[in-house]
Structure formats: C-alpha cells, structure tokens
Coordinates of all heavy atoms in Angstrom, one line a residue:
M2 N -7.4 34.5 -17.2 CA -7.3 33.7 -16.0 C -7.0 32.3 -16.5 O -7.7 31.7 -17.3 CB -8.6 33.8 -15.3 CG -8.6 33.0 -14.0 SD -10.1 33.5 -13.0 CE -10.8 32.0 -12.8
S3 N -6.0 31.7 -15.9 CA -5.6 30.3 -16.3 C -6.0 29.3 -15.2 O -5.9 29.6 -14.0 CB -4.1 30.2 -16.6 OG -3.4 30.4 -15.4
A4 N -6.6 28.2 -15.7 CA -7.0 27.2 -14.7 C -5.8 26.4 -14.3 O -4.9 26.1 -15.1 CB -8.1 26.3 -15.4
E5 N -5.8 25.9 -13.1 CA -4.7 25.0 -12.6 C -4.9 23.7 -13.3 O -6.0 23.2 -13.5 CB -4.9 24.8 -11.1 CG -4.5 26.0 -10.2 CD -3.0 26.3 -10.2 OE1 -2.2 25.3 -10.2 OE2 -2.7 27.5 -10.3
P6 N -3.8 23.1 -13.7 CA -3.9 21.8 -14.4 C -4.3 20.8 -13.3 O -3.9 20.8 -12.2 CB -2.4 21.6 -14.9 CG -1.6 22.4 -14.0 CD -2.4 23.6 -13.6
S7 N -5.1 19.9 -13.7 CA -5.5 18.8 -12.8 C -4.5 17.7 -12.8 O -3.9 17.4 -13.8 CB -6.9 18.2 -13.2 OG -6.8 17.6 -14.4
V8 N -4.2 17.3 -11.6 CA -3.1 16.3 -11.4 C -3.8 15.1 -10.6 O -4.4 15.3 -9.6 CB -1.9 16.8 -10.6 CG1 -0.9 15.7 -10.4 CG2 -1.3 18.0 -11.3
R9 N -3.7 13.9 -11.1 CA -4.2 12.8 -10.5 C -3.1 12.1 -9.6 O -1.9 12.2 -9.9 CB -4.7 11.8 -11.5 CG -5.8 12.3 -12.4 CD -6.3 11.3 -13.4 NE -5.3 10.5 -14.0 CZ -5.3 9.2 -14.1 NH1 -6.3 8.5 -13.8 NH2 -4.3 8.6 -14.7
V10 N -3.5 11.5 -8.5 CA -2.6 10.8 -7.6 C -1.8 9.8 -8.4 O -0.6 9.6 -8.3 CB -3.3 10.1 -6.5 CG1 -2.4 9.3 -5.6 CG2 -3.9 11.2 -5.6
E11 N -2.5 9.1 -9.3 CA -1.8 8.0 -10.1 C -0.7 8.6 -10.9 O 0.4 7.9 -11.1 CB -2.8 7.3 -10.9 CG -3.8 6.4 -10.2 CD -5.0 7.2 -9.6 OE1 -5.1 8.4 -9.8 OE2 -5.8 6.6 -8.9
D12 N -0.9 9.8 -11.4 CA 0.2 10.4 -12.2 C 1.4 10.7 -11.4 O 2.5 10.5 -11.9 CB -0.4 11.7 -12.9 CG -1.5 11.4 -13.9 OD1 -1.6 10.3 -14.4 OD2 -2.3 12.3 -14.1
K13 N 1.2 11.1 -10.2 CA 2.3 11.5 -9.3 C 3.0 10.2 -8.8 O 4.3 10.2 -8.7 CB 1.9 12.3 -8.1 CG 1.3 13.6 -8.5 CD 2.3 14.5 -9.3 CE 3.1 15.3 -8.3 NZ 4.0 16.3 -9.0
L14 N 2.3 9.2 -8.5 CA 2.8 7.9 -8.0 C 3.7 7.3 -9.1 O 4.7 6.6 -8.8 CB 1.7 6.9 -7.6 CG 1.0 7.3 -6.4 CD1 -0.2 6.3 -6.2 CD2 1.9 7.3 -5.1
F15 N 3.4 7.6 -10.3 CA 4.2 7.0 -11.4 C 5.7 7.4 -11.3 O 6.5 6.6 -11.8 CB 3.6 7.5 -12.8 CG 4.4 7.1 -14.0 CD1 4.3 5.8 -14.4 CD2 5.2 7.9 -14.6 CE1 5.0 5.4 -15.6 CE2 5.9 7.6 -15.8 CZ 5.8 6.3 -16.2
Y16 N 6.0 8.5 -10.7 CA 7.4 9.0 -10.6 C 8.2 8.3 -9.6 O 9.4 8.3 -9.5 CB 7.4 10.5 -10.4 CG 7.0 11.3 -11.6 CD1 5.7 11.9 -11.7 CD2 7.8 11.4 -12.7 CE1 5.3 12.6 -12.8 CE2 7.4 12.1 -13.9 CZ 6.1 12.7 -13.9 OH 5.7 13.3 -15.0
N17 N 7.5 7.6 -8.6 CA 8.2 6.9 -7.6 C 8.9 5.6 -8.1 O 8.4 5.1 -9.1 CB 7.3 6.5 -6.4 CG 6.7 7.7 -5.7 OD1 7.4 8.7 -5.6 ND2 5.5 7.6 -5.2
R18 N 9.9 5.2 -7.5 CA 10.6 4.0 -7.9 C 10.7 3.1 -6.6 O 10.7 3.6 -5.5 CB 12.0 4.2 -8.4 CG 12.0 5.0 -9.7 CD 11.4 4.1 -10.8 NE 11.2 4.9 -12.1 CZ 10.1 5.4 -12.5 NH1 9.0 5.3 -11.8 NH2 10.0 6.0 -13.7
Y19 N 10.8 1.8 -6.8 CA 10.7 0.9 -5.7 C 11.8 -0.1 -5.8 O 12.1 -0.6 -6.9 CB 9.4 0.2 -5.6 CG 8.2 1.1 -5.6 CD1 7.7 1.5 -6.8 CD2 7.7 1.6 -4.5 CE1 6.6 2.4 -6.9 CE2 6.6 2.5 -4.5 CZ 6.1 2.9 -5.7 OH 5.0 3.7 -5.8
L20 N 12.5 -0.4 -4.7 CA 13.4 -1.5 -4.7 C 12.8 -2.6 -3.9 O 12.6 -2.5 -2.7 CB 14.7 -1.0 -4.1 CG 15.9 -2.0 -4.3 CD1 16.2 -2.2 -5.8 CD2 17.2 -1.4 -3.7
V21 N 12.3 -3.6 -4.6 CA 11.5 -4.7 -4.0 C 12.4 -5.7 -3.3 O 13.4 -6.1 -3.8 CB 10.7 -5.4 -5.1 CG1 9.9 -6.6 -4.5 CG2 9.7 -4.4 -5.8
D22 N 12.1 -5.9 -2.0 CA 12.9 -6.9 -1.2 C 12.1 -8.3 -1.5 O 11.2 -8.6 -0.7 CB 12.8 -6.5 0.2 CG 13.9 -7.2 1.1 OD1 14.6 -8.1 0.5 OD2 13.9 -6.9 2.3
A23 N 12.5 -8.9 -2.5 CA 11.8 -10.1 -2.9 C 11.7 -11.2 -1.8 O 12.7 -11.5 -1.1 CB 12.5 -10.8 -4.1
G24 N 10.5 -11.6 -1.6 CA 10.2 -12.7 -0.6 C 10.1 -12.1 0.8 O 9.9 -12.9 1.7
R25 N 10.3 -10.8 1.0 CA 10.2 -10.3 2.4 C 9.2 -9.1 2.4 O 9.7 -8.0 2.6 CB 11.6 -9.8 2.8 CG 12.6 -11.0 2.9 CD 13.9 -10.6 3.4 NE 13.8 -10.2 4.9 CZ 14.8 -10.4 5.7 NH1 15.9 -10.9 5.3 NH2 14.7 -10.0 7.0
A26 N 8.0 -9.4 2.2 CA 7.0 -8.3 2.2 C 7.0 -7.6 3.6 O 7.0 -8.3 4.6 CB 5.6 -8.9 2.0
H27 N 7.0 -6.3 3.6 CA 7.0 -5.6 4.9 C 5.6 -5.4 5.5 O 5.5 -5.0 6.6 CB 7.7 -4.3 4.7 CG 7.1 -3.3 3.9 ND1 7.1 -3.3 2.5 CD2 6.3 -2.2 4.2 CE1 6.4 -2.3 2.0 NE2 5.9 -1.6 3.0
I28 N 4.6 -5.7 4.7 CA 3.2 -5.7 5.3 C 2.6 -7.0 4.9 O 2.7 -7.5 3.8 CB 2.4 -4.5 4.7 CG1 3.1 -3.2 4.9 CG2 1.0 -4.5 5.3 CD1 2.5 -2.0 4.2
K29 N 1.9 -7.6 5.9 CA 1.3 -8.9 5.7 C -0.2 -8.8 6.2 O -0.4 -8.3 7.2 CB 2.0 -10.0 6.4 CG 3.4 -10.3 5.9 CD 4.1 -11.3 6.7 CE 5.5 -11.5 6.1 NZ 6.4 -12.1 7.1
V30 N -1.1 -9.4 5.4 CA -2.5 -9.5 5.8 C -2.6 -10.9 6.5 O -2.2 -11.9 6.0 CB -3.4 -9.5 4.6 CG1 -4.9 -9.8 5.0 CG2 -3.3 -8.2 3.8
R31 N -3.1 -10.8 7.7 CA -3.3 -12.0 8.5 C -4.3 -12.9 7.8 O -5.3 -12.4 7.2 CB -3.7 -11.7 9.9 CG -2.6 -11.0 10.7 CD -2.6 -11.4 12.2 NE -1.4 -11.0 12.8 CZ -1.2 -9.9 13.6 NH1 -2.3 -9.1 13.8 NH2 -0.1 -9.6 14.1
P32 N -4.2 -14.2 7.9 CA -5.1 -15.2 7.3 C -6.5 -14.9 7.8 O -6.7 -14.7 9.0 CB -4.6 -16.6 7.7 CG -3.2 -16.4 8.0 CD -3.1 -15.0 8.6
H33 N -7.5 -15.0 6.9 CA -8.9 -14.7 7.3 C -9.8 -15.4 6.2 O -9.3 -15.6 5.1 CB -9.2 -13.2 7.3 CG -9.0 -12.5 6.0 ND1 -7.7 -12.2 5.6 CD2 -9.8 -12.2 5.0 CE1 -7.8 -11.6 4.4 NE2 -9.1 -11.6 4.0
S34 N -11.0 -15.8 6.7 CA -11.9 -16.4 5.7 C -12.8 -15.3 5.2 O -13.2 -15.4 4.0 CB -12.7 -17.5 6.4 OG -13.3 -17.1 7.6
K35 N -13.2 -14.4 6.1 CA -14.1 -13.3 5.6 C -13.4 -12.0 6.1 O -13.1 -11.9 7.3 CB -15.5 -13.5 6.3 CG -16.5 -12.5 5.8 CD -17.8 -12.8 6.4 CE -18.7 -11.6 6.1 NZ -19.8 -11.4 7.0
P36 N -13.2 -11.1 5.2 CA -12.6 -9.8 5.7 C -13.4 -9.0 6.6 O -14.6 -8.9 6.5 CB -12.3 -9.1 4.3 CG -13.3 -9.7 3.4 CD -13.6 -11.1 3.8
S37 N -12.7 -8.4 7.6 CA -13.3 -7.5 8.5 C -13.7 -6.2 7.8 O -13.1 -5.9 6.8 CB -12.4 -7.2 9.7 OG -11.3 -6.5 9.2
P38 N -14.5 -5.4 8.4 CA -14.8 -4.0 7.8 C -13.5 -3.2 7.7 O -13.3 -2.5 6.7 CB -15.7 -3.4 8.9 CG -16.4 -4.5 9.5 CD -15.3 -5.6 9.6
E39 N -12.5 -3.4 8.6 CA -11.3 -2.6 8.5 C -10.5 -3.1 7.3 O -9.9 -2.3 6.6 CB -10.4 -2.8 9.8 CG -11.0 -2.1 11.0 CD -12.1 -2.9 11.7 OE1 -12.4 -4.0 11.3 OE2 -12.6 -2.4 12.7
L40 N -10.4 -4.4 7.1 CA -9.7 -4.9 5.9 C -10.4 -4.4 4.6 O -9.7 -4.0 3.7 CB -9.7 -6.4 5.9 CG -8.5 -7.1 6.5 CD1 -8.6 -8.6 6.4 CD2 -7.2 -6.6 6.0
L41 N -11.7 -4.4 4.6 CA -12.4 -4.0 3.4 C -12.1 -2.5 3.2 O -12.0 -2.0 2.0 CB -13.9 -4.2 3.5 CG -14.3 -5.7 3.4 CD1 -15.7 -5.9 3.7 CD2 -13.9 -6.3 2.1
A42 N -12.0 -1.7 4.3 CA -11.7 -0.3 4.1 C -10.4 0.0 3.5 O -10.2 1.0 2.8 CB -11.7 0.4 5.5
L43 N -9.4 -1.0 3.6 CA -8.1 -0.8 3.0 C -8.1 -0.8 1.5 O -7.2 -0.2 0.9 CB -7.1 -1.8 3.6 CG -6.8 -1.8 5.1 CD1 -5.9 -2.9 5.5 CD2 -6.3 -0.4 5.5
L44 N -9.1 -1.4 1.0 CA -9.2 -1.5 -0.5 C -9.4 -0.1 -1.1 O -8.9 0.2 -2.2 CB -10.5 -2.3 -0.9 CG -10.4 -3.8 -0.5 CD1 -11.8 -4.4 -0.8 CD2 -9.3 -4.5 -1.2
K45 N -10.0 0.8 -0.3 CA -10.2 2.2 -0.8 C -9.2 3.2 -0.1 O -8.9 4.2 -0.6 CB -11.6 2.6 -0.5 CG -12.6 1.9 -1.3 CD -14.0 2.5 -1.2 CE -14.9 1.7 -2.2 NZ -16.3 2.2 -2.1
A46 N -8.7 2.8 1.1 CA -7.9 3.8 1.9 C -6.5 3.9 1.4 O -5.8 4.9 1.5 CB -7.9 3.4 3.3
C47 N -6.0 2.8 0.8 CA -4.6 2.8 0.4 C -4.4 3.7 -0.9 O -5.0 3.4 -1.9 CB -4.1 1.4 0.1 SG -2.4 1.3 -0.6
P48 N -3.6 4.7 -0.8 CA -3.5 5.6 -2.0 C -2.8 5.0 -3.1 O -2.9 5.4 -4.3 CB -2.7 6.8 -1.4 CG -1.9 6.3 -0.3 CD -2.8 5.2 0.3
A49 N -2.0 3.9 -2.9 CA -1.3 3.2 -3.9 C -2.0 2.0 -4.4 O -1.5 1.3 -5.3 CB 0.1 2.8 -3.4
R50 N -3.2 1.8 -3.9 CA -4.0 0.6 -4.2 C -3.3 -0.7 -4.2 O -3.3 -1.5 -5.1 CB -4.6 0.9 -5.6 CG -5.4 2.1 -5.7 CD -6.2 2.3 -6.9 NE -6.9 3.6 -6.8 CZ -7.8 4.0 -7.6 NH1 -8.2 3.2 -8.6 NH2 -8.3 5.2 -7.5
C51 N -2.6 -0.9 -3.1 CA -1.9 -2.2 -2.9 C -2.8 -3.3 -2.5 O -2.4 -4.5 -2.6 CB -0.8 -2.0 -1.8 SG 0.5 -0.8 -2.3
Y52 N -4.0 -3.0 -1.9 CA -4.9 -4.0 -1.5 C -5.9 -4.3 -2.5 O -6.4 -3.5 -3.2 CB -5.6 -3.6 -0.2 CG -4.7 -3.4 1.0 CD1 -4.0 -2.3 1.3 CD2 -4.5 -4.5 1.9 CE1 -3.1 -2.2 2.4 CE2 -3.7 -4.4 3.0 CZ -3.0 -3.2 3.2 OH -2.1 -3.2 4.3
E53 N -6.2 -5.6 -2.6 CA -7.3 -6.1 -3.5 C -7.9 -7.3 -3.0 O -7.4 -8.0 -2.2 CB -6.8 -6.2 -5.0 CG -5.7 -7.3 -5.1 CD -5.2 -7.4 -6.5 OE1 -5.3 -6.4 -7.3 OE2 -4.7 -8.5 -6.9
L54 N -9.1 -7.6 -3.6 CA -9.9 -8.8 -3.2 C -9.4 -9.9 -4.2 O -9.3 -9.7 -5.4 CB -11.4 -8.6 -3.4 CG -12.1 -7.9 -2.2 CD1 -13.6 -7.8 -2.6 CD2 -12.0 -8.7 -0.9
N55 N -9.2 -11.1 -3.6 CA -8.9 -12.3 -4.5 C -10.3 -12.9 -4.9 O -11.3 -12.5 -4.5 CB -7.9 -13.2 -3.9 CG -8.5 -13.9 -2.6 OD1 -9.7 -13.9 -2.4 ND2 -7.6 -14.4 -1.8
N56 N -10.2 -14.0 -5.6 CA -11.4 -14.7 -6.1 C -12.2 -15.3 -5.0 O -13.4 -15.6 -5.1 CB -11.0 -15.8 -7.1 CG -10.5 -15.2 -8.4 OD1 -10.8 -14.0 -8.7 ND2 -9.7 -15.9 -9.1
Q57 N -11.5 -15.6 -3.8 CA -12.2 -16.1 -2.7 C -12.8 -15.1 -1.8 O -13.4 -15.4 -0.7 CB -11.3 -17.0 -1.8 CG -10.9 -18.3 -2.5 CD -9.9 -18.2 -3.6 OE1 -8.9 -17.4 -3.4 NE2 -10.1 -18.8 -4.7
G58 N -12.7 -13.8 -2.2 CA -13.3 -12.7 -1.4 C -12.4 -12.3 -0.2 O -12.9 -11.6 0.7
Q59 N -11.2 -12.7 -0.2 CA -10.2 -12.4 0.8 C -9.4 -11.2 0.4 O -9.1 -11.0 -0.8 CB -9.3 -13.5 1.2 CG -10.1 -14.7 1.7 CD -9.3 -16.0 1.6 OE1 -8.5 -16.2 0.7 NE2 -9.6 -17.0 2.5
V60 N -8.9 -10.4 1.3 CA -8.1 -9.2 1.0 C -6.6 -9.7 0.9 O -6.1 -10.3 1.8 CB -8.3 -8.1 2.0 CG1 -7.3 -7.0 1.8 CG2 -9.7 -7.6 2.1
E61 N -6.0 -9.3 -0.2 CA -4.6 -9.5 -0.4 C -3.8 -8.2 -0.5 O -4.4 -7.2 -0.9 CB -4.3 -10.4 -1.6 CG -4.9 -11.8 -1.5 CD -4.6 -12.6 -2.8 OE1 -4.5 -12.0 -3.9 OE2 -4.7 -13.8 -2.7
I62 N -2.5 -8.3 -0.4 CA -1.7 -7.1 -0.6 C -0.5 -7.4 -1.5 O 0.1 -8.5 -1.4 CB -1.2 -6.5 0.8 CG1 -0.4 -5.2 0.5 CG2 -0.4 -7.5 1.6 CD1 -0.1 -4.4 1.8
A63 N -0.2 -6.5 -2.3 CA 1.0 -6.5 -3.1 C 1.8 -5.3 -2.8 O 1.4 -4.2 -3.1 CB 0.7 -6.5 -4.6
V64 N 2.9 -5.4 -2.0 CA 3.6 -4.3 -1.4 C 4.5 -3.6 -2.4 O 5.1 -2.6 -2.0 CB 4.3 -4.7 -0.1 CG1 3.4 -5.2 0.9 CG2 5.4 -5.7 -0.5
D65 N 4.6 -4.0 -3.6 CA 5.6 -3.5 -4.5 C 5.5 -2.0 -4.7 O 6.4 -1.3 -4.9 CB 5.5 -4.2 -5.9 CG 5.9 -5.7 -5.7 OD1 6.1 -6.1 -4.6 OD2 5.9 -6.3 -6.8
G66 N 4.2 -1.5 -4.7 CA 4.0 0.0 -4.9 C 3.8 0.7 -3.7 O 3.4 1.9 -3.7
C67 N 4.0 0.2 -2.5 CA 3.7 0.8 -1.2 C 4.6 2.1 -1.1 O 5.8 2.0 -1.2 CB 4.0 -0.1 -0.1 SG 3.9 0.6 1.5
I68 N 4.0 3.2 -0.7 CA 4.7 4.4 -0.5 C 4.9 4.7 1.0 O 5.4 5.7 1.4 CB 4.0 5.6 -1.1 CG1 2.6 5.8 -0.5 CG2 4.0 5.5 -2.6 CD1 1.9 7.1 -1.0
E69 N 4.7 3.7 1.9 CA 5.0 3.7 3.3 C 4.3 4.9 4.0 O 4.9 5.5 4.9 CB 6.5 3.7 3.5 CG 7.2 2.5 3.0 CD 8.7 2.6 2.9 OE1 9.3 3.3 3.7 OE2 9.2 2.0 1.9
C70 N 3.1 5.1 3.6 CA 2.3 6.3 4.2 C 1.8 6.0 5.6 O 1.6 6.9 6.3 CB 1.2 6.7 3.2 SG -0.2 5.5 3.2
G71 N 1.6 4.7 5.9 CA 1.1 4.3 7.2 C -0.4 4.3 7.4 O -0.9 4.0 8.4
T72 N -1.1 4.6 6.3 CA -2.6 4.6 6.4 C -3.1 3.2 6.8 O -3.9 3.1 7.8 CB -3.2 5.0 5.1 OG1 -2.7 6.3 4.7 CG2 -4.7 5.0 5.1
C73 N -2.6 2.2 6.2 CA -3.1 0.9 6.6 C -2.6 0.4 7.9 O -3.3 -0.4 8.6 CB -2.7 -0.2 5.5 SG -1.0 -0.4 5.3
R74 N -1.5 1.0 8.4 CA -1.1 0.7 9.7 C -2.1 1.2 10.8 O -2.4 0.5 11.7 CB 0.3 1.3 10.0 CG 0.9 1.0 11.3 CD 2.3 1.5 11.4 NE 3.0 0.8 12.5 CZ 4.2 1.1 12.8 NH1 4.9 2.0 12.2 NH2 4.8 0.4 13.8
V75 N -2.6 2.4 10.5 CA -3.6 3.0 11.5 C -4.8 2.2 11.5 O -5.4 1.9 12.5 CB -3.8 4.4 11.1 CG1 -5.0 5.0 11.9 CG2 -2.6 5.3 11.2
I76 N -5.3 1.8 10.3 CA -6.6 1.1 10.2 C -6.4 -0.4 10.5 O -7.2 -0.9 11.3 CB -7.2 1.3 8.7 CG1 -7.4 2.7 8.5 CG2 -8.4 0.4 8.6 CD1 -7.8 3.0 7.0
G77 N -5.5 -1.1 9.9 CA -5.5 -2.5 9.9 C -4.6 -3.1 11.0 O -4.9 -4.2 11.4
E78 N -3.6 -2.4 11.4 CA -2.8 -3.0 12.5 C -3.5 -2.8 13.9 O -3.5 -3.7 14.7 CB -1.4 -2.3 12.6 CG -0.4 -3.1 13.5 CD 1.0 -2.5 13.4 OE1 1.1 -1.3 13.8 OE2 1.9 -3.2 13.1
A79 N -4.2 -1.7 14.0 CA -5.0 -1.5 15.3 C -6.1 -2.6 15.4 O -6.4 -3.0 16.5 CB -5.6 -0.1 15.3
S80 N -6.7 -3.0 14.3 CA -7.7 -4.0 14.3 C -7.2 -5.5 14.4 O -7.9 -6.4 14.5 CB -8.6 -3.9 13.1 OG -8.0 -4.1 11.9
G81 N -5.8 -5.6 14.2 CA -5.2 -6.9 14.2 C -5.3 -7.6 12.9 O -5.0 -8.8 12.8
D82 N -5.6 -6.9 11.9 CA -5.8 -7.6 10.6 C -4.5 -7.7 9.7 O -4.4 -8.5 8.8 CB -6.8 -6.8 9.7 CG -8.2 -7.0 10.2 OD1 -8.6 -8.2 10.5 OD2 -8.9 -6.0 10.5
I83 N -3.5 -6.8 10.0 CA -2.3 -6.8 9.3 C -1.1 -6.7 10.2 O -1.2 -6.3 11.4 CB -2.2 -5.7 8.2 CG1 -2.1 -4.3 8.9 CG2 -3.4 -5.8 7.3 CD1 -1.8 -3.2 8.0
E84 N 0.0 -7.2 9.7 CA 1.3 -6.9 10.4 C 2.1 -5.9 9.5 O 2.2 -6.1 8.3 CB 2.1 -8.2 10.5 CG 1.5 -9.3 11.3 CD 2.3 -10.6 11.2 OE1 3.5 -10.6 11.1 OE2 1.6 -11.6 11.1
W85 N 2.6 -4.9 10.2 CA 3.1 -3.8 9.4 C 4.5 -3.5 10.0 O 4.8 -3.4 11.2 CB 2.3 -2.5 9.6 CG 2.4 -1.4 8.6 CD1 1.6 -1.2 7.6 CD2 3.4 -0.4 8.6 NE1 2.1 -0.1 6.9 CE2 3.2 0.4 7.5 CE3 4.6 -0.1 9.4 CZ2 4.0 1.5 7.1 CZ3 5.4 0.9 9.0 CH2 5.1 1.7 7.9
S86 N 5.5 -3.3 9.0 CA 6.8 -2.8 9.4 C 7.4 -2.1 8.2 O 6.9 -2.2 7.1 CB 7.7 -4.0 9.8 OG 7.9 -4.9 8.7
Y87 N 8.4 -1.3 8.4 CA 9.1 -0.7 7.3 C 9.9 -1.7 6.6 O 10.4 -2.7 7.2 CB 10.0 0.4 7.8 CG 9.3 1.7 8.2 CD1 9.1 2.0 9.6 CD2 8.7 2.5 7.2 CE1 8.4 3.1 9.9 CE2 8.0 3.6 7.6 CZ 7.9 4.0 8.9 OH 7.2 5.1 9.3
P88 N 10.2 -1.5 5.3 CA 11.1 -2.4 4.6 C 12.5 -2.3 5.2 O 12.9 -1.4 5.9 CB 11.1 -1.9 3.2 CG 10.0 -1.0 3.1 CD 9.7 -0.4 4.4
R89 N 13.3 -3.3 4.9 CA 14.7 -3.3 5.4 C 15.4 -2.1 4.7 O 15.0 -1.6 3.7 CB 15.4 -4.6 4.9 CG 15.0 -5.8 5.7 CD 16.0 -6.9 5.4 NE 16.0 -7.3 4.0 CZ 17.0 -8.0 3.5 NH1 18.1 -8.4 4.2 NH2 17.0 -8.4 2.2
G90 N 16.4 -1.7 5.4 CA 17.2 -0.5 4.9 C 17.6 -0.7 3.5 O 18.1 -1.8 3.1
G91 N 17.4 0.3 2.7 CA 17.8 0.3 1.2 C 16.7 -0.3 0.3 O 16.8 -0.2 -0.9
Y92 N 15.6 -0.8 0.9 CA 14.5 -1.3 0.1 C 13.3 -0.4 0.3 O 13.2 0.4 1.2 CB 14.2 -2.7 0.5 CG 15.3 -3.7 0.1 CD1 16.2 -4.1 1.1 CD2 15.3 -4.3 -1.1 CE1 17.2 -5.0 0.8 CE2 16.3 -5.2 -1.4 CZ 17.2 -5.6 -0.5 OH 18.2 -6.5 -0.8
G93 N 12.4 -0.6 -0.6 CA 11.1 0.1 -0.5 C 11.0 1.2 -1.5 O 11.7 1.2 -2.5
V94 N 10.2 2.2 -1.2 CA 10.0 3.3 -2.1 C 11.2 4.3 -2.2 O 11.9 4.5 -1.2 CB 8.7 4.1 -1.7 CG1 8.9 4.8 -0.4 CG2 8.3 5.1 -2.8
L95 N 11.4 4.8 -3.3 CA 12.5 5.8 -3.6 C 11.7 7.0 -4.1 O 11.3 7.0 -5.3 CB 13.5 5.3 -4.6 CG 14.1 3.9 -4.3 CD1 14.9 3.4 -5.5 CD2 15.0 4.0 -3.1
F96 N 11.6 8.0 -3.3 CA 10.8 9.2 -3.7 C 11.6 10.1 -4.6 O 12.8 10.2 -4.4 CB 10.3 10.0 -2.5 CG 9.3 9.3 -1.7 CD1 9.6 8.7 -0.5 CD2 7.9 9.2 -2.2 CE1 8.6 8.0 0.3 CE2 7.0 8.5 -1.4 CZ 7.3 8.0 -0.2
K97 N 10.9 10.6 -5.6 CA 11.6 11.6 -6.4 C 11.0 12.9 -6.1 O 9.8 13.1 -6.1 CB 11.3 11.3 -7.9 CG 11.9 12.3 -8.8 CD 11.5 12.0 -10.3 CE 12.1 13.1 -11.2 NZ 11.6 13.0 -12.5
F98 N 11.8 13.9 -5.6 CA 11.4 15.2 -5.3 C 11.6 16.2 -6.4 O 12.6 16.1 -7.1 CB 12.1 15.7 -4.0 CG 11.8 14.8 -2.8 CD1 12.7 13.9 -2.4 CD2 10.6 14.9 -2.1 CE1 12.4 13.1 -1.3 CE2 10.3 14.1 -1.1 CZ 11.2 13.2 -0.6
G99 N 10.7 17.1 -6.6 CA 10.8 18.1 -7.6 C 10.3 17.7 -9.0 O 9.9 16.7 -9.2
Ligands
SF4_24 FE1 -0.9 1.5 1.0 FE2 0.2 3.3 2.7 FE3 -0.3 0.8 3.5 FE4 1.7 1.2 1.8 S1 1.6 2.0 3.9 S2 0.1 -0.4 1.7 S3 0.8 2.9 0.5 S4 -1.8 2.4 2.9

C-alpha cells in the first residue's frame, strides 16, 4: 500500500506566474489606524499570504502573488476594509495547468 505524497499549498503556488501591473494594485487596503477583525482575518485567510502586518500594526497587502481567489473580497470588501477589483486585462496571475 503506497501513501499519497503530501503536497503543500506553497509548493503548488510556486508554479504560478504573475504579470505585475506596476503601480496599479488591483486590491487596496483602506487607510486605518487599528485593523478591524476582518482585516486581521485576512492575514490567515489569504492562501497566497498577500496580507501582512507592518511595524505600526496596520494590515498591508502585496498583490504580486495574488491568485484572484476572491477570499479577501468576501471578507474585506463586505466590511469596507478593502477595495477589490480584477487586474487589467493581460495582468495578474498566469495559472499553469497540469
Ligand atoms: Fe489573497 Fe485571494 Fe485576496 Fe488574492 S484574492 S489577495 S489570493 S485572498
């Protein structure tokens, strides 16, 4: 009996490629002094780990690795904490299938 090989999300994400639209982030965190519970949830909810805390305790995003899954849209746009849109045509994630 052979065991299934374990695959980590990070290993699979490594195969994706991104065309970064420099200076035009498609997701923005609204300015805040103290993050809401929804913003803090994004630190763990984003599968690509695009969200992080800065030294001032505020949530920031680096969209370069975003896989456009929409998780943060559900959590953060509904609460008014982020602005979410798809990247311009031709930019963003390039999925590799197979
Ligand atoms: Fe992360 Fe998905 Fe939001 Fe992109 S759309 S920043 S991958 S949660």
Side-chain angles (χ1 to χ4, degrees):
M2 184 167 120
S3 65
E5 289 288 322
S7 65
V8 178
R9 299 180 319 135
V10 171
E11 291 80 5
D12 294 337
K13 298 299 273 185
L14 289 174
F15 175 77
Y16 290 105
N17 293 330
R18 294 292 175 259
Y19 308 88
L20 195 54
V21 177
D22 196 358
R25 297 183 69 148
H27 65 283
I28 303 171
K29 294 176 184 161
V30 176
R31 292 215 166 101
H33 58 282
S34 52
K35 184 178 173 204
S37 68
E39 289 84 359
L40 267 181
L41 291 173
L43 297 179
L44 300 172
K45 293 189 175 177
C47 173
R50 301 191 183 189
C51 294
Y52 290 88
E53 61 182 25
L54 278 179
N55 65 18
N56 291 338
Q57 288 78 43
Q59 299 160 331
V60 175
E61 294 181 336
I62 184 170
V64 295
D65 297 4
C67 172
I68 57 173
E69 300 166 30
C70 70
T72 302
C73 63
R74 186 176 197 179
V75 172
I76 298 171
E78 195 175 56
S80 65
D82 289 309
I83 66 169
E84 295 174 38
W85 200 101
S86 61
Y87 284 105
R89 288 193 298 160
Y92 291 96
V94 66
L95 309 168
F96 290 106
K97 178 183 177 187
F98 298 100

